[in-house]
Amino acid sequence: MDPVKIIEIKENVFADNDAQAERLRKELKSQKTFLLNLMSSPGSGKTTTLLKTVESLKERLRIGVMEADIDSAVDAETMARTGVRTIQLHTGGMCHLDAGMTKQGLQELSIEDLDLAILENVGNLVCPAEFDTGAVKNVMILSVPEGHDKPLKYPLIFTVCDALIINKIDVLPYFDFDMEKVKEYALMRNPKLKIFPISAKTGEGVEAWTEWLHQTVTEWIE
């Protein structure tokens, strides 16, 4: 009896997606549009952080936002009130976006006249980290209430990200959160990681984050 043929579908899916993501990055470079992939768990303050980011940069950069979620349009409606071009992406139950889905979203967003397109990915620390969206940079938000051990529990998302925003530092006195430990653990996963402690609520630390983003976008589109 012949042995059963085993096909590694997951590996093939990832390989196909990686190739599509690389093509998308080249297209974005030629169009001089920067794509940022923003990831976090639910409740980290992702939308509030994004609101602060957009408010800080919208006079200097032409910005568009794609709000990805399994359902609802709450985040897109909130973001649209900032005056930037915004669309909602429904994933149909999927917990992530891949390069093909992202490209479809960019086409609907009409990025020809945008400097910065931001994808607010589905709230999840696992699935979104596994799929290259074609973004120029990946950024994740970790909030203080989530604990400082997350780089140990969810290593991949820290590995694939270029910057880490540690949000809700205004509530540090109320939680057993060790800032030095989380930095140590995160840099252990990714020594090149840029780390920005902020409070999206009070605005503390936001300027350092947005200035880094502005410089990074400017270098890409020039």
Side-chain angles (χ1 to χ4, degrees):
M1 183 176 179
D2 293 335
V4 174
K5 185 176 181 179
I6 300 174
I7 302 172
E8 298 292 346
I9 294 178
K10 188 175 183 181
E11 288 186 7
N12 290 339
V13 167
F14 285 157
D16 290 345
N17 183 73
D18 289 348
Q20 190 168 2
E22 192 57 38
R23 288 194 298 270
L24 178 55
R25 262 187 295 275
K26 290 179 179 178
E27 292 174 13
L28 291 166
K29 182 65 175 178
S30 66
Q31 294 176 219
K32 296 188 175 182
T33 301
F34 185 103
L35 174 60
L36 176 72
N37 178 29
L38 186 61
M39 299 179 283
S40 78
S41 61
S44 67
K46 188 158 71 263
T47 301
T48 305
T49 301
L50 187 49
L51 285 169
K52 289 284 189 182
T53 302
V54 168
E55 288 292 349
S56 176
L57 296 177
K58 68 179 184 179
E59 300 302 324
R60 293 184 282 172
L61 296 172
R62 298 169 297 176
I63 303 173
V65 176
M66 298 181 291
E67 294 283 358
D69 214 333
I70 293 173
D71 204 352
S72 90
V74 173
D75 290 343
E77 291 167 358
T78 300
M79 192 59 55
R81 288 196 286 272
T82 66
V84 300
R85 190 180 308 160
T86 307
I87 63 171
Q88 182 76 50
L89 305 178
H90 284 168
T91 63
M94 298 181 69
C95 61
H96 69 275
L97 270 76
D98 59 21
M101 297 160 71
T102 302
K103 183 172 183 178
Q104 183 180 353
L106 290 169
Q107 290 170 342
E108 293 297 324
L109 189 62
S110 300
I111 62 170
E112 293 79 9
D113 60 344
L114 295 181
D115 302 312
L116 171 61
I118 303 175
L119 169 62
E120 183 178 341
N121 215 316
V122 180
N124 193 306
L125 292 182
V126 180
C127 300
E130 294 183 329
F131 287 85
D132 189 343
T133 61
V136 183
K137 296 290 183 183
N138 295 312
V139 175
M140 72 163 291
I141 301 174
L142 174 69
S143 64
V144 166
E146 293 175 77
H148 58 258
D149 60 351
K150 289 299 178 288
L152 303 179
K153 294 183 176 181
Y154 302 95
L156 180 61
I157 193 166
F158 291 87
T159 302
V160 302
C161 281
D162 302 281
L164 166 64
I165 297 171
I166 302 174
N167 191 27
K168 304 187 181 181
I169 60 173
D170 52 299
V171 299
L172 273 170
Y174 309 105
F175 288 88
D176 183 18
F177 185 94
D178 191 321
M179 183 65 73
E180 294 309 310
K181 278 293 182 184
V182 75
K183 289 179 179 179
E184 176 189 339
Y185 296 153
L187 292 172
M188 181 175 68
R189 298 301 185 191
N190 183 354
K192 296 181 180 180
L193 194 66
K194 302 290 184 182
I195 301 177
F196 301 96
I198 76 163
S199 168
K201 181 179 180 180
T202 68
E204 183 181 356
V206 171
E207 184 178 0
W209 148 246
T210 56
E211 287 306 310
W212 175 84
L213 179 57
H214 181 260
Q215 181 181 349
T216 306
V217 172
T218 302
E219 290 172 356
W220 173 264
I221 65 178
E222 286 183 345

